[in-house]
mmCIF file of all heavy atoms in Angstrom:
data_model
loop_
_atom_site.group_PDB
_atom_site.id
_atom_site.type_symbol
_atom_site.label_atom_id
_atom_site.label_comp_id
_atom_site.label_asym_id
_atom_site.label_seq_id
_atom_site.Cartn_x
_atom_site.Cartn_y
_atom_site.Cartn_z
ATOM 1 N N GLY A 178 5.120 0.943 8.610
ATOM 2 C CA GLY A 178 4.609 2.288 8.774
ATOM 3 C C GLY A 178 5.521 3.365 8.218
ATOM 4 O O GLY A 178 6.677 3.125 7.837
ATOM 5 N N VAL A 179 5.006 4.570 8.209
ATOM 6 C CA VAL A 179 5.683 5.725 7.620
ATOM 7 C C VAL A 179 7.084 5.902 8.217
ATOM 8 O O VAL A 179 7.265 5.903 9.433
ATOM 9 C CB VAL A 179 4.853 7.000 7.856
ATOM 10 C CG1 VAL A 179 5.623 8.236 7.417
ATOM 11 C CG2 VAL A 179 3.518 6.912 7.124
ATOM 12 N N GLY A 180 8.078 6.039 7.327
ATOM 13 C CA GLY A 180 9.419 6.393 7.750
ATOM 14 C C GLY A 180 10.198 5.312 8.471
ATOM 15 O O GLY A 180 11.257 5.590 9.047
ATOM 16 N N ALA A 181 9.731 4.069 8.446
ATOM 17 C CA ALA A 181 10.462 2.984 9.101
ATOM 18 C C ALA A 181 11.711 2.630 8.291
ATOM 19 O O ALA A 181 11.785 2.857 7.082
ATOM 20 C CB ALA A 181 9.572 1.759 9.250
ATOM 21 N N ASN A 182 12.706 2.056 8.970
ATOM 22 C CA ASN A 182 13.962 1.663 8.338
ATOM 23 C C ASN A 182 14.258 0.199 8.641
ATOM 24 O O ASN A 182 14.204 -0.222 9.800
ATOM 25 C CB ASN A 182 15.112 2.533 8.852
ATOM 26 C CG ASN A 182 14.981 3.979 8.404
ATOM 27 O OD1 ASN A 182 15.388 4.346 7.320
ATOM 28 N ND2 ASN A 182 14.395 4.805 9.262
ATOM 29 N N ILE A 183 14.593 -0.553 7.578
ATOM 30 C CA ILE A 183 14.884 -1.975 7.713
ATOM 31 C C ILE A 183 16.334 -2.206 7.294
ATOM 32 O O ILE A 183 16.730 -1.852 6.180
ATOM 33 C CB ILE A 183 13.956 -2.829 6.824
ATOM 34 C CG1 ILE A 183 12.477 -2.407 7.003
ATOM 35 C CG2 ILE A 183 14.150 -4.308 7.118
ATOM 36 C CD1 ILE A 183 11.937 -2.612 8.374
ATOM 37 N N GLY A 184 17.137 -2.800 8.185
ATOM 38 C CA GLY A 184 18.550 -3.049 7.901
ATOM 39 C C GLY A 184 18.750 -4.125 6.849
ATOM 40 O O GLY A 184 17.835 -4.891 6.518
ATOM 41 N N ASN A 185 19.970 -4.220 6.333
ATOM 42 C CA ASN A 185 20.247 -5.113 5.211
ATOM 43 C C ASN A 185 20.371 -6.573 5.638
ATOM 44 O O ASN A 185 20.693 -6.902 6.776
ATOM 45 C CB ASN A 185 21.533 -4.681 4.505
ATOM 46 C CG ASN A 185 22.764 -4.921 5.352
ATOM 47 O OD1 ASN A 185 22.901 -4.331 6.407
ATOM 48 N ND2 ASN A 185 23.643 -5.787 4.889
ATOM 49 N N ASN A 186 20.087 -7.431 4.679
ATOM 50 C CA ASN A 186 20.343 -8.867 4.786
ATOM 51 C C ASN A 186 19.651 -9.511 5.993
ATOM 52 O O ASN A 186 20.229 -10.327 6.709
ATOM 53 C CB ASN A 186 21.858 -9.138 4.856
ATOM 54 C CG ASN A 186 22.199 -10.574 4.514
ATOM 55 O OD1 ASN A 186 21.507 -11.217 3.729
ATOM 56 N ND2 ASN A 186 23.260 -11.085 5.100
ATOM 57 N N ILE A 187 18.394 -9.131 6.222
ATOM 58 C CA ILE A 187 17.601 -9.759 7.276
ATOM 59 C C ILE A 187 16.266 -10.207 6.698
ATOM 60 O O ILE A 187 15.914 -9.859 5.566
ATOM 61 C CB ILE A 187 17.358 -8.820 8.480
ATOM 62 C CG1 ILE A 187 16.522 -7.599 8.053
ATOM 63 C CG2 ILE A 187 18.678 -8.397 9.107
ATOM 64 C CD1 ILE A 187 16.087 -6.731 9.236
ATOM 65 N N GLU A 188 15.526 -10.971 7.478
ATOM 66 C CA GLU A 188 14.213 -11.455 7.044
ATOM 67 C C GLU A 188 13.139 -10.967 8.012
ATOM 68 O O GLU A 188 13.203 -11.249 9.210
ATOM 69 C CB GLU A 188 14.197 -12.982 6.977
ATOM 70 C CG GLU A 188 12.875 -13.543 6.494
ATOM 71 C CD GLU A 188 12.915 -15.031 6.234
ATOM 72 O OE1 GLU A 188 14.032 -15.596 6.192
ATOM 73 O OE2 GLU A 188 11.833 -15.629 6.077
ATOM 74 N N ILE A 189 12.186 -10.236 7.463
ATOM 75 C CA ILE A 189 11.006 -9.824 8.218
ATOM 76 C C ILE A 189 9.938 -10.884 7.971
ATOM 77 O O ILE A 189 9.510 -11.093 6.837
ATOM 78 C CB ILE A 189 10.509 -8.437 7.770
ATOM 79 C CG1 ILE A 189 11.620 -7.388 7.879
ATOM 80 C CG2 ILE A 189 9.280 -8.034 8.583
ATOM 81 C CD1 ILE A 189 12.153 -7.173 9.267
ATOM 82 N N ALA A 190 9.537 -11.563 9.020
ATOM 83 C CA ALA A 190 8.620 -12.690 8.867
ATOM 84 C C ALA A 190 7.216 -12.223 8.473
ATOM 85 O O ALA A 190 6.919 -11.027 8.424
ATOM 86 C CB ALA A 190 8.574 -13.489 10.169
ATOM 87 N N GLU A 191 6.344 -13.181 8.204
ATOM 88 C CA GLU A 191 4.965 -12.886 7.830
ATOM 89 C C GLU A 191 4.227 -12.185 8.979
ATOM 90 O O GLU A 191 4.524 -12.391 10.154
ATOM 91 C CB GLU A 191 4.223 -14.183 7.497
ATOM 92 C CG GLU A 191 4.797 -14.945 6.308
ATOM 93 C CD GLU A 191 4.070 -16.254 6.091
ATOM 94 O OE1 GLU A 191 3.189 -16.597 6.914
ATOM 95 O OE2 GLU A 191 4.363 -16.931 5.100
ATOM 96 N N TYR A 192 3.266 -11.371 8.598
ATOM 97 C CA TYR A 192 2.341 -10.739 9.547
ATOM 98 C C TYR A 192 3.057 -9.883 10.603
ATOM 99 O O TYR A 192 2.594 -9.768 11.729
ATOM 100 C CB TYR A 192 1.469 -11.794 10.242
ATOM 101 C CG TYR A 192 0.401 -12.382 9.354
ATOM 102 C CD1 TYR A 192 0.649 -13.528 8.600
ATOM 103 C CD2 TYR A 192 -0.852 -11.799 9.260
ATOM 104 C CE1 TYR A 192 -0.320 -14.078 7.773
ATOM 105 C CE2 TYR A 192 -1.838 -12.336 8.451
ATOM 106 C CZ TYR A 192 -1.565 -13.472 7.698
ATOM 107 O OH TYR A 192 -2.526 -14.008 6.892
#
Side-chain angles (χ1 to χ4, degrees):
V179 172
N182 293 275
I183 312 297
N185 69 297
N186 199 30
I187 64 172
E188 182 172 347
I189 304 299
E191 298 176 355
Y192 287 91

